[in-house]
Amino acid sequence: MTKLGLAINLDRCVGCHTCSNACKLQNNIPMGMLWLRVVTEGADVMDGAVGTYPDLSRRYVPVACQHCENPACQKVCPTGATYKDDLGRVEINYDKCIGCRMCMAACPYEARVFNWQDAERDPDFDYGDARVVRRPKGVAEKCTLCKERTDEGEDPMCVKVCPARARIFGDLDDPTSEIAHLVRDKHAGNLLEEFGTRPQLYYYG
């Protein structure tokens, strides 16, 4: 079996948002929407800081779909539009999505966005990978772990472009893989473990 996942080194993440912007371009994401956001731990604004001047600190945490083993979004989807594929990714069948947004309410990571209107792009054309499905108005969407790339054995675009090499992609079920070694040796953990969703995105550092 194969179970694809990501490990993110928070000590290396510099909050440059390259992953977020590359994800947007790769996946033809419209204006006003992101599948991957880089939040500042403990702060309520992007690129904020924690503490009182001059004793300030800042730690960046990239957040996207966690591709959970026990996805809350899948449990509440009334049509089966949300599903786990044979590589462990959580995906959406847009033809089955009825736009009820139950998945958005259920996801503890706020990882999904919704197409309320016809997509607006600047510049006004499809700039994403031609293999990526163009989502219609009225459906939920999210990180697919760059399905079109990873189906071909390529890294997700966020991994490919990270200038700090903070992101490692691979097969969590292969004990010899780099990601499996990192998760084990670095005692990597998950976000919001108390929800029991068992994410396939791990954080360490």
Side-chain angles (χ1 to χ4, degrees):
M1 294 293 291
T2 298
K3 184 171 69 176
L4 299 179
L6 279 174
I8 301 174
N9 185 340
L10 297 180
D11 285 344
R12 295 191 68 94
C13 180
V14 296
C16 65
H17 301 271
T18 301
C19 57
S20 184
N21 288 309
C23 169
K24 189 176 185 74
L25 290 171
Q26 165 68 21
N27 294 290
N28 203 30
I29 300 170
M31 298 300 105
M33 298 171 65
L34 290 173
W35 286 2
L36 195 173
R37 29 188 234 288
V38 181
V39 302
T40 312
E41 191 173 66
D44 56 2
V45 295
M46 185 181 291
D47 293 323
V50 176
T52 304
Y53 181 83
D55 299 315
L56 297 171
S57 64
R58 178 181 288 156
R59 182 178 173 93
Y60 294 105
V61 182
V63 181
C65 175
Q66 304 289 298
H67 295 277
C68 305
E69 290 187 57
N70 182 32
C73 56
Q74 182 184 22
K75 289 182 177 181
V76 300
C77 180
T79 65
T82 295
Y83 65 98
K84 288 278 286 183
D85 71 9
D86 57 1
L87 295 179
R89 300 168 300 198
V90 175
E91 302 292 352
I92 302 173
N93 182 331
Y94 304 111
D95 291 333
K96 290 184 176 181
C97 179
I98 58 173
C100 68
R101 305 186 301 283
M102 292 289 289
C103 57
M104 297 178 70
C107 175
Y109 309 99
E110 299 180 4
R112 295 188 174 217
V113 290
F114 190 76
N115 276 318
W116 289 99
Q117 57 192 12
D118 290 328
E120 294 182 13
R121 294 179 173 85
D122 187 11
D124 188 22
F125 57 81
D126 288 348
Y127 38 70
D129 189 319
R131 298 171 292 180
V132 175
V133 175
R134 200 177 201 269
R135 285 80 57 195
K137 179 173 69 173
V139 300
E141 58 182 74
K142 64 169 194 66
C143 161
T144 65
L145 213 54
C146 281
K147 182 182 188 317
E148 293 75 19
R149 292 178 58 84
T150 51
D151 275 350
E152 301 296 326
E154 302 173 83
D155 284 344
M157 188 56 75
C158 61
V159 175
K160 181 177 175 66
V161 302
C162 179
R165 294 187 301 234
R167 308 171 74 90
I168 301 297
F169 170 75
D171 182 2
L172 291 162
D173 277 353
D174 177 1
T176 67
S177 68
E178 182 180 8
I179 189 172
H181 279 291
L182 283 172
V183 169
R184 182 174 61 249
D185 298 343
K186 299 292 186 180
H187 305 290
N190 305 120
L191 297 180
L192 304 177
E193 292 181 347
E194 64 272 19
F195 284 90
T197 53
R198 304 201 305 279
Q200 289 164 213
L201 264 67
Y202 286 83
Y203 297 82
Y204 66 99

